[in-house]
Amino acid sequence: MTELMPPLVDAAWLKSQIDAPDLIVLDASWYLPAQGRDAEQEFAEGHIPGALRFDFDRRFADTTSPLPHMLPDAEAFTNEAQALGLNRLSRIVVYDGAGIFAAPRAWWMFRVMGHPSVSVLNGGLPAWKAAGGAIETGPARVLPAGDFTAELDPARLAGIPDVTSALNAGVTVVDA
């Protein structure tokens, strides 16, 4: 059984675990176009040692949808996760370059796809740097194919009828 992880971990915890063989660190940085930032370039210029890129804009996305960042189906998620080297027993920590902007999206994607052992690095890359964490440059390392198989948990999704019902019942819906 995969060790359950808390929703948030801090830089001190990550520093103590960074060399654990079952730990996978993912950079899920994504920026609004108006910010003029390039997540791929910034990753190459400096990331947490051993981190891999989690691109939910192009790779971990339903690219057939006209809408951006739509959740891919379980098969596509499985293929991308295995290509990154993610295993069913991997402990995953997700961060982003803004601090805590895009990483929660990646955390949710793993949870909705059935991976229970995923956390967000509280404060992201800025917190890691502030804590004196090492920085690595260059491309991501390449791992052997993993064995994680995504299983969509429909209880973690809401469709238009669900949202409409909630609104009609007086529930406040927040766009995060």
Side-chain angles (χ1 to χ4, degrees), residues 104-118:
R105 166 72 181 198
W107 173 89
W108 170 79
M109 292 174 76
F110 276 102
R111 296 304 307 261
V112 81
M113 290 297 182
H115 201 300
S117 190
V118 59

Side-chain angles (χ1 to χ4, degrees), residues 152-168:
L152 182 70
D153 179 357
R156 293 186 178 271
L157 296 173
I160 292 172
D162 301 310
V163 174
T164 300
S165 177
L167 290 170
N168 290 336

